[in-house]
Amino acid sequence: MNPENLSKMWNELTGKIGKVEKGFSEGARLSENNPEEARLAVKNSLNLTRDHVLEGYAQLNPELNLKSTIQKSEGLSDLLVKSIVEATAQYPSQTDLKGSMDALMGVLNPKKQSDEDKVVSALVLFELFKPYLVDRFVSINWNNETQKQQDLEKIIKDTGLFYAFYQSISPAIELNVEGTSALSSEQIALSLFQIGPLFVKAAQAIPGGSNLFQGKAQSQNGEIGKSFYENIAPPKDDELEEIKRTISPLTLIDSLSSASIAHVVKTKDPTGREWATKVKRTGIKEAIKSNEETYQLLTNVIISYASEHIDKASPLGTQMKDIKEALPFFLTVLTSGIYEELDFVREAADQARAREIFAKHPGIVIPEVNFQLSNGEMITMELIDGAQQIKDLPANREYLKQIAILVIESWKNKFGHGDMHRGNMKGKKEGQLVALDWGKTLKDLPPSFFKKMGMFAAAVGNNVGSADWRAKQIAKAYCRIQSPDYYQIIPEEALPIIANALRVYEDQKKRQEIVRSDDSHHPEKLRQKIKLVESILFSLGMHKQTVMDMRYYTFFKTNLQLYTVLWDELNKQEYEGTHYRTLRWAFVQALKEVYIPHS
């Protein structure tokens, strides 16, 4: 599909909305006395707008059948929202939506060449948006000119947000429908990144494994996901100029890496010493705020459409209550985490504390923070040269020992790194481990933390006993580690939700969708358990708006990330047949270094 054609039609559809006020004013006159008639008047006015635009396209393309085009777009809009609602409501059960989603994505696919599909794509977006527009227009106070103009401006802004979201996901739609794309994984990731940092965090937190958009494109989807953790969207010229102003009196030398909320750049102070400086992306707070608005808009669009088109008495209709409550809940959980990572003053202090804890371990390198050249917008630290991902370095069992020390000291001090993925845990050729990016930490853990965490991990990891008995153990353990800031669920409420997630997990194992490995150390087995945990958490959040205390979830996930780094080393050919013996050596040496004083 030519994006310019779709963009032009969308602009024509939405650009005329503010000018067709007769039906809207009529709706406003009726709204207080007869809300249903008011909605009908506004809807008719929107349909007139749509028909007027379509008639213009039909004159240019006589073969375009207006009636069938409208019917097709209405049917696909209905299919999309019902599919979303059904998949969400029944998660983690796999709903049979593949065929219907293929049909829908086939029309929304930007690579489609059919003139009718180009029009249908714009109309699908418009039909999705229409119930939300009706709600907004009916609520406008048409007797207050100032307020009316503000509300109309907000509606126009919302149309831009909605279409921008579609444009950003279009390359991913093409990839998952066609199985290939003219764009590289990096370019698709960059397009998705344009939606904003909050959506990147949401993508990273999505439970492991929607099966709707995999298959031929599965490998490239994995590369796209990996891009979000690595060097995504480096600063362009205009942002580099802003960075130069922010880091003064430091001088910018080069860009080193970029993540969702910040860049790391190489800098030089007035004495000529070089540093690494982590600096927030330009306008990051505004971007997050815009993301919140987009998320809320998408939520309202889906709810408005579903409320109008789904029978409230149907099984799907009764599940809408959970979805209406869950979507704002997930937004609250997401934003609380990302705003914490924006606190650079706290991060600098945590990094300094970590450096102090590990100071007696020469094999663990944590960059020293220069507090004189750090503030709420940037953190300036020691520049570490020569650090690479461990999987790219020659085998050295010292890496395993340093990882063990990192774990043991974290447990001992109840303080540790909260995001230990490959990009943050690197190695040097001498066998040192470099721990970067302390934006997320585990600290101030209660005395019972490890006991409760152990009970939950044991319950999730247990493969003995009936599924019902295991579900009960998980439910009991979960209720001990749920966040006190949200709904407090009891085991009896949690049990059916957890039992369903466990049943789906066991069904996947039977179908061999769960990776099997004879090596008990293989991290894929742990990843599958993480997927089970994520499935449980997402289901509990969806149906009961409860969430695990994030300290427990962070601990659970970051240790899996660290184990993946450990496996990068252990999986090298030099350790073949010696996994257990090598790990035992690493942990024994680590325990000695942590607990036996050096002479």
Side-chain angles (χ1 to χ4, degrees):
M1 178 187 302
N2 185 335
E4 293 181 0
N5 290 346
L6 178 57
S7 178
K8 180 181 177 182
M9 185 170 184
W10 173 258
N11 290 334
E12 287 185 23
L13 283 167
T14 55
K16 296 177 182 293
I17 288 173
K19 301 176 183 178
V20 190
E21 294 189 5
K22 182 177 180 181
F24 302 150
S25 301
E26 177 69 10
R29 185 182 66 79
L30 295 168
S31 61
E32 293 184 4
N33 300 324
N34 195 325
E36 289 306 313
E37 284 191 27
R39 292 184 63 81
L40 182 61
V42 172
K43 193 184 300 183
N44 287 339
S45 184
L46 287 170
N47 287 339
L48 286 172
T49 302
R50 176 199 65 195
D51 294 346
H52 178 71
V53 172
L54 282 179
E55 286 168 3
Y57 273 76
Q59 290 176 4
L60 297 174
N61 186 356
E63 296 181 2
L64 187 66
N65 187 317
L66 294 184
K67 184 176 180 180
S68 68
T69 300
I70 292 172
Q71 288 176 341
K72 188 174 183 179
S73 65
E74 289 175 343
L76 287 170
S77 304
D78 207 42
L79 175 65
L80 175 60
V81 174
K82 288 182 178 179
S83 297
I84 292 172
V85 172
E86 185 178 356
T88 305
Q90 295 186 20
Y91 181 88
S93 299
Q94 294 294 329
T95 51
D96 187 18
L97 301 175
K98 191 70 170 70
S100 58
M101 291 302 285
D102 279 349
L104 175 69
M105 293 298 110
V107 170
L108 293 182
N109 176 13
K111 208 171 184 178
K112 276 284 185 180
Q113 297 302 314
S114 161
D115 287 336
E116 180 179 306
D117 281 338
K118 292 177 185 179
V119 176
V120 169
S121 293
L123 286 183
V124 166
L125 298 178
F126 185 73
E127 292 298 327
L128 285 174
F129 205 53
K130 189 165 66 178
Y132 171 73
L133 286 174
V134 172
D135 288 342
R136 291 300 306 272
F137 277 115
V138 168
S139 67
I140 289 177
N141 182 354
W142 293 84
N143 297 317
N144 184 325
E145 186 65 26
T146 301
Q147 187 62 49
K148 182 188 81 169
Q149 288 304 319
Q150 290 177 353
D151 289 342
L152 285 173
E153 287 173 9
K154 179 65 168 65
I155 290 171
I156 292 170
K157 179 182 178 182
D158 285 350
T159 64
L161 286 174
F162 187 67
Y163 185 66
F165 177 80
Y166 169 71
Q167 283 185 308
S168 294
I169 66 172
S170 290
I173 292 175
E174 178 188 332
L175 169 65
N176 285 287
V177 173
E178 299 290 332
T180 59
S181 173
L183 300 180
S184 66
S185 300
E186 183 180 349
Q187 289 171 317
I188 296 174
L190 186 59
S191 179
L192 292 171
F193 184 80
Q194 301 310 311
I195 303 173
L198 193 60
F199 283 90
V200 172
K201 294 295 182 184
Q204 292 172 349
I206 286 174
S210 166
N211 291 328
L212 292 177
F213 303 125
Q214 294 186 2
K216 291 185 293 183
Q218 185 174 10
S219 175
Q220 196 167 354
N221 279 328
E223 292 175 6
I224 292 167
K226 182 181 176 183
S227 297
F228 288 141
Y229 283 103
E230 297 182 358
N231 196 27
I232 183 76
K236 297 181 179 179
D237 290 345
D238 56 344
E239 191 171 10
L240 285 172
E241 291 302 315
E242 182 62 32
I243 288 173
K244 289 177 183 177
R245 288 189 286 271
T246 301
I247 64 175
S248 179
L250 293 168
T251 302
L252 177 66
I253 299 176
D254 196 8
S255 177
L256 298 176
S257 64
S258 299
S260 58
I261 65 171
H263 305 289
V264 178
V265 294
K266 186 176 182 179
T267 56
K268 183 169 62 176
D269 67 20
T271 71
R273 179 175 174 179
E274 294 183 347
W275 302 87
T277 300
K278 181 177 180 179
V279 58
K280 292 177 184 175
R281 285 184 178 270
T282 303
I284 184 64
K285 292 181 180 178
E286 293 77 9
I288 294 172
K289 183 66 177 176
S290 177
N291 272 190
E292 291 182 61
E293 293 177 0
T294 302
Y295 183 104
Q296 193 61 58
L297 170 65
L298 294 173
T299 298
N300 291 337
V301 166
I302 291 171
I303 289 174
S304 292
Y305 190 96
S307 298
E308 181 172 308
H309 291 82
I310 296 177
D311 182 2
K312 292 180 175 61
S314 68
L316 209 55
T318 58
Q319 292 167 332
M320 275 303 299
K321 179 178 180 295
D322 284 348
I323 294 174
K324 286 180 180 180
E325 294 175 353
L327 291 175
F329 161 77
F330 285 127
L331 176 61
T332 301
V333 174
L334 275 173
T335 52
S336 63
I338 199 168
Y339 280 121
E340 180 185 355
E341 292 185 49
L342 285 178
D343 187 349
F344 276 17
V345 174
R346 175 203 56 77
E347 179 179 339
D350 285 346
Q351 184 166 324
R353 181 181 174 188
R355 181 177 168 82
E356 182 180 345
I357 289 172
F358 292 99
K360 64 180 180 180
H361 302 294
I364 294 182
V365 179
I366 297 173
E368 182 179 7
V369 174
N370 183 331
F371 284 95
Q372 298 299 317
L373 295 172
S374 300
N375 52 45
E377 298 301 313
M378 66 182 195
I379 304 172
T380 298
M381 67 195 82
E382 176 186 4
L383 179 65
I384 306 296
D385 290 320
Q388 297 176 255
Q389 290 196 9
I390 286 175
K391 64 184 178 66
D392 298 325
L393 290 166
N396 188 334
R397 64 179 184 171
E398 285 294 315
Y399 297 134
L400 302 174
K401 186 184 84 170
Q402 310 312 337
I403 290 172
I405 290 173
L406 193 70
V407 171
I408 294 167
E409 284 286 13
S410 297
W411 285 43
K412 177 184 173 184
N413 292 278
K414 295 184 172 61
F415 177 91
H417 201 294
D419 195 17
M420 296 189 284
H421 60 75
R422 290 183 175 114
N424 290 338
M425 294 290 140
K426 295 186 176 182
K428 300 189 75 173
K429 290 181 179 179
E430 300 81 7
Q432 292 175 304
L433 183 72
V434 183
L436 304 168
D437 192 356
W438 291 80
K440 187 182 292 184
T441 53
L442 281 160
K443 60 182 180 178
D444 303 325
L445 303 177
S448 60
F449 179 86
F450 291 112
K451 179 181 177 181
K452 291 180 179 178
M453 186 73 251
M455 292 174 65
F456 182 76
V460 171
N462 184 21
N463 293 315
V464 180
S466 69
D468 288 343
W469 182 83
R470 288 157 57 201
K472 287 179 182 178
Q473 302 310 305
I474 296 173
K476 289 178 183 177
Y478 170 83
C479 291
R480 293 188 178 100
I481 60 175
Q482 62 183 314
S483 170
D485 298 329
Y486 302 97
Y487 177 70
Q488 298 297 284
I489 198 170
I490 60 175
E492 290 75 16
E493 290 178 291
L495 180 57
I497 298 171
I498 292 173
N500 182 53
L502 191 58
R503 177 188 58 78
V504 172
Y505 175 79
E506 294 296 338
D507 286 347
Q508 289 174 335
K509 281 177 65 175
K510 290 177 183 176
R511 295 196 302 270
Q512 295 188 335
E513 291 176 14
I514 300 297
V515 172
R516 299 174 183 271
S517 171
D518 294 333
D519 193 331
S520 60
H521 299 303
H522 200 289
E524 191 59 37
K525 288 193 170 183
L526 288 179
R527 286 197 193 97
Q528 299 298 347
K529 288 296 184 181
I530 284 286
K531 288 183 179 181
L532 173 60
V533 172
E534 291 173 332
S535 172
I536 290 170
L537 297 185
F538 187 81
S539 299
L540 288 169
M542 175 58 64
H543 297 294
K544 293 296 181 181
Q545 288 78 66
T546 176
V547 68
M548 181 189 287
D549 185 319
M550 281 297 107
R551 292 174 297 180
Y552 290 94
Y553 178 71
T554 299
F555 177 86
F556 204 77
K557 193 159 187 175
T558 196
N559 276 278
L560 171 69
Q561 291 173 326
L562 188 59
Y563 190 83
T564 302
V565 177
L566 181 147
W567 183 257
D568 285 341
E569 177 65 19
L570 199 61
N571 196 40
K572 292 172 183 175
Q573 186 176 358
E574 288 83 348
Y575 303 109
E576 187 174 353
T578 66
H579 287 172
Y580 177 76
R581 186 166 66 251
T582 305
L583 280 177
R584 183 179 62 182
W585 174 88
F587 275 88
V588 168
Q589 295 303 311
L591 286 166
K592 286 180 180 180
E593 187 167 320
V594 171
Y595 288 105
I596 299 177
H598 295 283
S599 56

Coordinates of all heavy atoms in Angstrom, one line a residue, residues 263-325:
H263 N 20.9 7.9 26.2 CA 22.0 7.6 25.3 C 23.2 7.6 26.3 O 23.3 8.2 27.3 CB 22.3 8.7 24.3 CG 21.1 9.0 23.4 ND1 20.7 8.1 22.4 CD2 20.3 10.0 23.3 CE1 19.7 8.6 21.8 NE2 19.4 9.8 22.3
V264 N 24.3 6.8 25.8 CA 25.6 6.9 26.5 C 26.6 7.4 25.5 O 26.7 6.9 24.4 CB 26.0 5.5 27.0 CG1 27.4 5.6 27.7 CG2 25.0 5.0 28.1
V265 N 27.2 8.5 25.8 CA 28.1 9.2 24.9 C 29.5 9.2 25.5 O 29.7 9.3 26.8 CB 27.6 10.6 24.5 CG1 26.4 10.5 23.7 CG2 27.5 11.5 25.8
K266 N 30.5 9.3 24.7 CA 31.9 9.5 25.1 C 32.2 11.0 25.2 O 31.9 11.7 24.3 CB 32.8 8.8 24.1 CG 34.3 8.8 24.6 CD 35.1 8.0 23.5 CE 36.6 7.9 23.9 NZ 37.4 7.1 22.9
T267 N 32.7 11.4 26.4 CA 32.9 12.8 26.6 C 34.3 13.1 27.1 O 35.1 12.2 27.4 CB 31.9 13.4 27.6 OG1 32.0 12.6 28.8 CG2 30.5 13.3 27.1
K268 N 34.7 14.4 27.1 CA 36.0 14.8 27.6 C 35.8 16.0 28.5 O 35.1 17.0 28.1 CB 36.9 15.1 26.4 CG 38.3 15.5 26.8 CD 39.2 15.5 25.6 CE 38.8 16.6 24.6 NZ 39.7 16.7 23.4
D269 N 36.4 16.0 29.7 CA 36.3 17.2 30.6 C 37.4 18.2 30.2 O 38.3 18.0 29.3 CB 36.4 16.8 32.0 CG 37.8 16.2 32.4 OD1 38.8 16.5 31.7 OD2 37.9 15.5 33.4
P270 N 37.4 19.4 30.8 CA 38.3 20.5 30.5 C 39.8 20.1 30.6 O 40.7 20.7 30.0 CB 37.9 21.6 31.4 CG 36.5 21.4 31.7 CD 36.3 19.9 31.7
T271 N 40.1 19.1 31.5 CA 41.5 18.7 31.7 C 41.9 17.7 30.6 O 43.1 17.4 30.5 CB 41.6 18.0 33.0 OG1 41.0 16.7 33.0 CG2 41.1 18.9 34.2
G272 N 41.0 17.3 29.8 CA 41.3 16.3 28.7 C 41.0 14.9 29.0 O 41.2 14.0 28.2
R273 N 40.5 14.6 30.3 CA 40.2 13.2 30.6 C 38.9 12.8 29.9 O 37.9 13.6 29.9 CB 40.1 13.0 32.1 CG 39.7 11.6 32.5 CD 39.7 11.4 34.0 NE 39.2 10.0 34.3 CZ 39.1 9.5 35.5 NH1 39.5 10.2 36.6 NH2 38.7 8.3 35.7
E274 N 38.9 11.6 29.5 CA 37.7 11.1 28.8 C 36.8 10.3 29.8 O 37.2 9.6 30.7 CB 38.1 10.1 27.6 CG 38.8 10.9 26.5 CD 39.1 10.0 25.3 OE1 39.0 8.7 25.5 OE2 39.5 10.5 24.3
W275 N 35.4 10.4 29.6 CA 34.4 9.8 30.4 C 33.3 9.2 29.6 O 33.2 9.5 28.4 CB 33.8 10.9 31.3 CG 34.7 11.6 32.2 CD1 35.4 12.8 31.9 CD2 35.1 11.3 33.6 NE1 36.1 13.2 33.0 CE2 36.0 12.3 34.0 CE3 34.7 10.2 34.4 CZ2 36.5 12.3 35.3 CZ3 35.3 10.2 35.7 CH2 36.2 11.2 36.1
A276 N 32.5 8.4 30.2 CA 31.3 7.9 29.6 C 30.2 8.6 30.3 O 30.1 8.7 31.5 CB 31.1 6.4 29.8
T277 N 29.3 9.3 29.5 CA 28.2 10.1 30.1 C 26.8 9.5 29.7 O 26.6 9.5 28.4 CB 28.3 11.5 29.8 OG1 29.6 12.0 30.3 CG2 27.2 12.4 30.4
K278 N 26.0 9.1 30.6 CA 24.6 8.7 30.3 C 23.7 9.9 30.4 O 23.7 10.6 31.4 CB 24.2 7.6 31.3 CG 22.8 7.1 31.0 CD 22.5 6.0 32.0 CE 21.0 5.4 31.8 NZ 20.7 4.3 32.7
V279 N 23.1 10.2 29.3 CA 22.2 11.5 29.2 C 20.9 11.1 28.7 O 20.7 10.3 27.8 CB 22.9 12.5 28.3 CG1 23.2 12.0 26.9 CG2 22.1 13.8 28.3
K280 N 19.9 11.7 29.3 CA 18.5 11.4 28.9 C 18.2 11.8 27.5 O 18.8 12.8 27.0 CB 17.5 12.1 29.8 CG 17.5 11.6 31.3 CD 16.6 12.4 32.1 CE 16.7 12.0 33.6 NZ 15.9 12.8 34.5
R281 N 17.3 11.0 26.8 CA 16.9 11.4 25.5 C 16.2 12.8 25.5 O 15.5 13.1 26.5 CB 15.9 10.4 24.9 CG 16.6 9.1 24.5 CD 15.6 8.1 23.8 NE 16.3 6.9 23.3 CZ 16.8 6.8 22.1 NH1 16.7 7.7 21.3 NH2 17.4 5.6 21.8
T282 N 16.4 13.6 24.5 CA 15.8 14.9 24.5 C 14.2 14.7 24.5 O 13.7 13.9 23.7 CB 16.2 15.6 23.2 OG1 17.6 15.7 23.1 CG2 15.5 17.0 23.1
G283 N 13.6 15.4 25.4 CA 12.1 15.4 25.5 C 11.6 14.1 26.0 O 10.4 13.8 25.7
I284 N 12.3 13.3 26.8 CA 11.9 12.0 27.2 C 10.6 12.1 28.1 O 9.7 11.2 27.9 CB 13.0 11.2 27.9 CG1 12.6 9.8 28.3 CG2 13.5 12.0 29.2 CD1 12.3 8.9 27.2
K285 N 10.6 13.0 29.0 CA 9.4 13.1 29.8 C 8.1 13.4 29.0 O 7.1 12.9 29.2 CB 9.6 14.2 30.9 CG 10.6 13.8 31.9 CD 10.8 14.9 33.0 CE 11.8 14.6 34.0 NZ 12.0 15.6 35.0
E286 N 8.3 14.3 28.0 CA 7.2 14.7 27.1 C 6.8 13.5 26.3 O 5.6 13.2 26.0 CB 7.5 15.8 26.2 CG 7.7 17.2 26.9 CD 9.1 17.3 27.7 OE1 9.9 16.4 27.5 OE2 9.2 18.3 28.4
A287 N 7.8 12.7 25.9 CA 7.5 11.5 25.1 C 6.7 10.5 25.9 O 5.8 9.8 25.4 CB 8.8 10.9 24.6
I288 N 7.1 10.3 27.1 CA 6.4 9.4 28.0 C 4.9 9.8 28.2 O 4.0 9.1 28.2 CB 7.1 9.2 29.3 CG1 8.4 8.5 29.1 CG2 6.2 8.4 30.3 CD1 9.3 8.5 30.3
K289 N 4.8 11.2 28.4 CA 3.5 11.7 28.6 C 2.6 11.5 27.4 O 1.4 11.1 27.4 CB 3.6 13.2 28.9 CG 2.3 13.9 29.2 CD 1.6 13.4 30.4 CE 0.3 14.1 30.7 NZ -0.4 13.6 31.9
S290 N 3.2 11.7 26.2 CA 2.5 11.5 24.9 C 2.1 10.0 24.8 O 1.1 9.6 24.3 CB 3.4 11.9 23.7 OG 2.8 11.6 22.5
N291 N 3.0 9.1 25.2 CA 2.8 7.7 25.2 C 1.6 7.3 26.1 O 0.7 6.5 25.7 CB 4.0 6.9 25.7 CG 5.0 6.6 24.7 OD1 5.9 5.8 24.9 ND2 4.8 7.1 23.5
E292 N 1.5 8.0 27.2 CA 0.4 7.7 28.1 C -0.9 8.1 27.4 O -2.0 7.4 27.5 CB 0.5 8.5 29.4 CG 1.7 8.0 30.3 CD 1.8 8.8 31.6 OE1 0.8 8.8 32.4 OE2 2.8 9.4 31.9
E293 N -0.9 9.3 26.7 CA -2.1 9.7 26.0 C -2.5 8.8 24.9 O -3.6 8.5 24.7 CB -1.8 11.1 25.4 CG -1.7 12.2 26.5 CD -1.4 13.6 25.9 OE1 -1.3 13.6 24.6 OE2 -1.2 14.5 26.6
T294 N -1.4 8.3 24.2 CA -1.7 7.3 23.1 C -2.3 6.0 23.6 O -3.3 5.4 23.1 CB -0.4 7.0 22.3 OG1 0.1 8.2 21.8 CG2 -0.7 6.1 21.2
Y295 N -1.7 5.5 24.7 CA -2.2 4.3 25.4 C -3.6 4.5 25.8 O -4.5 3.6 25.6 CB -1.3 3.9 26.6 CG -1.7 2.6 27.3 CD1 -0.9 1.5 27.1 CD2 -2.7 2.6 28.1 CE1 -1.2 0.3 27.7 CE2 -3.1 1.4 28.8 CZ -2.3 0.3 28.6 OH -2.6 -0.9 29.2
Q296 N -3.9 5.6 26.5 CA -5.3 5.9 26.9 C -6.2 6.0 25.8 O -7.4 5.5 25.8 CB -5.3 7.1 27.8 CG -6.6 7.4 28.6 CD -6.8 6.3 29.6 OE1 -6.0 6.0 30.4 NE2 -7.9 5.6 29.4
L297 N -5.8 6.6 24.7 CA -6.6 6.8 23.5 C -6.9 5.4 22.9 O -8.1 5.1 22.6 CB -5.9 7.6 22.5 CG -6.5 7.7 21.1 CD1 -7.9 8.4 21.1 CD2 -5.6 8.4 20.1
L298 N -5.9 4.6 22.7 CA -6.2 3.2 22.2 C -7.1 2.4 23.0 O -8.0 1.7 22.6 CB -4.8 2.5 22.0 CG -3.9 3.1 21.0 CD1 -2.5 2.3 21.0 CD2 -4.4 3.0 19.6
T299 N -6.9 2.6 24.4 CA -7.8 1.9 25.3 C -9.2 2.4 25.1 O -10.2 1.6 25.0 CB -7.4 2.2 26.8 OG1 -6.1 1.6 27.0 CG2 -8.3 1.6 27.8
N300 N -9.4 3.7 25.0 CA -10.8 4.2 24.9 C -11.4 3.9 23.5 O -12.6 3.6 23.4 CB -10.7 5.8 25.0 CG -10.4 6.2 26.4 OD1 -10.6 5.5 27.4 ND2 -9.9 7.4 26.6
V301 N -10.5 3.8 22.5 CA -11.0 3.5 21.1 C -11.6 2.0 21.2 O -12.7 1.7 20.7 CB -9.9 3.6 20.1 CG1 -10.3 2.9 18.8 CG2 -9.7 5.1 19.8
I302 N -10.8 1.1 21.7 CA -11.2 -0.3 21.8 C -12.5 -0.5 22.7 O -13.4 -1.2 22.3 CB -10.1 -1.2 22.4 CG1 -8.9 -1.2 21.4 CG2 -10.6 -2.6 22.7 CD1 -7.7 -1.9 21.9
I303 N -12.5 0.2 23.8 CA -13.6 0.1 24.7 C -14.9 0.7 24.1 O -16.0 0.1 24.2 CB -13.3 0.7 26.1 CG1 -12.3 -0.1 26.8 CG2 -14.6 0.9 26.9 CD1 -11.8 0.5 28.1
S304 N -14.8 1.8 23.5 CA -15.9 2.5 22.8 C -16.5 1.6 21.7 O -17.7 1.4 21.6 CB -15.5 3.9 22.3 OG -15.2 4.8 23.3
Y305 N -15.6 1.0 20.9 CA -16.0 0.2 19.8 C -16.7 -1.1 20.4 O -17.8 -1.5 19.9 CB -14.9 -0.2 18.9 CG -15.3 -0.8 17.6 CD1 -15.5 -0.1 16.5 CD2 -15.6 -2.2 17.6 CE1 -15.9 -0.7 15.3 CE2 -16.1 -2.8 16.4 CZ -16.2 -2.1 15.3 OH -16.7 -2.6 14.1
A306 N -16.0 -1.7 21.3 CA -16.6 -3.0 21.9 C -17.9 -2.7 22.6 O -18.8 -3.6 22.5 CB -15.5 -3.6 22.8
S307 N -18.0 -1.6 23.3 CA -19.3 -1.4 24.0 C -20.4 -1.2 23.0 O -21.6 -1.5 23.3 CB -19.1 -0.1 24.8 OG -18.1 -0.2 25.8
E308 N -20.1 -0.7 21.8 CA -21.2 -0.5 20.9 C -21.5 -1.7 20.0 O -22.7 -1.9 19.6 CB -20.8 0.7 19.9 CG -21.9 1.0 18.9 CD -21.5 2.2 18.1 OE1 -21.3 3.3 18.7 OE2 -21.6 2.1 16.8
H309 N -20.5 -2.6 19.8 CA -20.7 -3.7 18.9 C -20.8 -5.1 19.5 O -21.1 -6.0 18.8 CB -19.6 -3.7 17.8 CG -19.6 -2.5 16.9 ND1 -19.1 -1.3 17.2 CD2 -20.1 -2.4 15.6 CE1 -19.3 -0.5 16.2 NE2 -19.9 -1.1 15.2
I310 N -20.5 -5.2 20.8 CA -20.5 -6.5 21.5 C -21.7 -6.5 22.4 O -21.9 -5.6 23.2 CB -19.2 -6.7 22.2 CG1 -18.0 -6.8 21.2 CG2 -19.3 -8.0 23.0 CD1 -16.7 -7.1 21.9
D311 N -22.5 -7.5 22.2 CA -23.7 -7.7 23.1 C -23.3 -7.8 24.5 O -22.5 -8.7 24.9 CB -24.5 -9.0 22.6 CG -25.7 -9.2 23.4 OD1 -26.1 -8.3 24.3 OD2 -26.4 -10.2 23.1
K312 N -23.8 -6.9 25.4 CA -23.4 -6.9 26.8 C -23.8 -8.2 27.5 O -23.2 -8.6 28.5 CB -24.0 -5.7 27.5 CG -23.4 -4.4 27.1 CD -24.0 -3.2 27.8 CE -23.4 -1.9 27.4 NZ -23.5 -1.6 26.0
A313 N -24.8 -8.9 27.0 CA -25.3 -10.1 27.6 C -24.5 -11.4 27.2 O -24.7 -12.4 27.8 CB -26.8 -10.3 27.4
S314 N -23.7 -11.2 26.1 CA -22.9 -12.4 25.6 C -21.8 -12.7 26.5 O -21.4 -11.8 27.3 CB -22.4 -12.0 24.2 OG -21.5 -11.0 24.2
P315 N -21.2 -13.9 26.4 CA -20.0 -14.2 27.2 C -18.9 -13.2 27.0 O -18.2 -12.8 28.0 CB -19.6 -15.6 26.7 CG -20.9 -16.2 26.2 CD -21.7 -15.0 25.6
L316 N -18.7 -12.7 25.8 CA -17.7 -11.8 25.5 C -18.0 -10.4 26.1 O -17.1 -9.7 26.7 CB -17.5 -11.6 24.0 CG -16.1 -11.2 23.5 CD1 -15.0 -12.2 24.0 CD2 -16.0 -11.1 22.0
G317 N -19.3 -10.1 26.1 CA -19.7 -8.8 26.7 C -19.5 -8.8 28.2 O -19.1 -7.8 28.8
T318 N -19.7 -9.9 28.9 CA -19.5 -10.0 30.3 C -18.0 -9.8 30.7 O -17.7 -9.4 31.8 CB -20.1 -11.3 30.9 OG1 -19.4 -12.4 30.3 CG2 -21.5 -11.4 30.7
Q319 N -17.1 -10.2 29.8 CA -15.7 -10.1 30.0 C -15.1 -8.7 29.8 O -14.0 -8.4 30.2 CB -14.9 -11.1 29.1 CG -15.2 -12.6 29.5 CD -14.8 -13.6 28.4 OE1 -14.7 -13.2 27.3 NE2 -14.4 -14.8 28.9
M320 N -16.0 -7.9 29.2 CA -15.5 -6.5 28.9 C -15.2 -5.7 30.2 O -14.4 -4.8 30.2 CB -16.5 -5.8 28.1 CG -16.4 -6.0 26.6 SD -14.7 -5.5 25.9 CE -14.7 -3.8 26.4
K321 N -15.9 -6.1 31.3 CA -15.7 -5.4 32.5 C -14.3 -5.5 33.0 O -13.7 -4.5 33.4 CB -16.7 -5.9 33.6 CG -16.5 -5.3 35.0 CD -17.6 -5.8 35.9 CE -17.4 -5.1 37.3 NZ -16.1 -5.5 38.0
D322 N -13.8 -6.8 32.9 CA -12.4 -7.0 33.3 C -11.4 -6.2 32.5 O -10.5 -5.6 33.0 CB -12.0 -8.5 33.2 CG -12.6 -9.3 34.3 OD1 -13.1 -8.7 35.3 OD2 -12.6 -10.6 34.2
I323 N -11.7 -6.2 31.1 CA -10.8 -5.5 30.2 C -10.8 -4.0 30.5 O -9.8 -3.3 30.5 CB -11.2 -5.8 28.8 CG1 -10.9 -7.3 28.5 CG2 -10.4 -4.9 27.8 CD1 -11.4 -7.8 27.2
K324 N -12.0 -3.4 30.7 CA -12.1 -2.0 31.0 C -11.3 -1.6 32.2 O -10.7 -0.5 32.2 CB -13.6 -1.6 31.2 CG -14.4 -1.6 29.9 CD -15.9 -1.2 30.3 CE -16.7 -1.1 29.0 NZ -18.1 -0.7 29.3
E325 N -11.3 -2.4 33.2 CA -10.5 -2.1 34.4 C -9.1 -2.4 34.3 O -8.2 -1.8 34.9 CB -11.1 -2.9 35.6 CG -12.6 -2.5 36.0 CD -13.2 -3.3 37.0 OE1 -12.6 -4.4 37.4 OE2 -14.3 -3.0 37.5

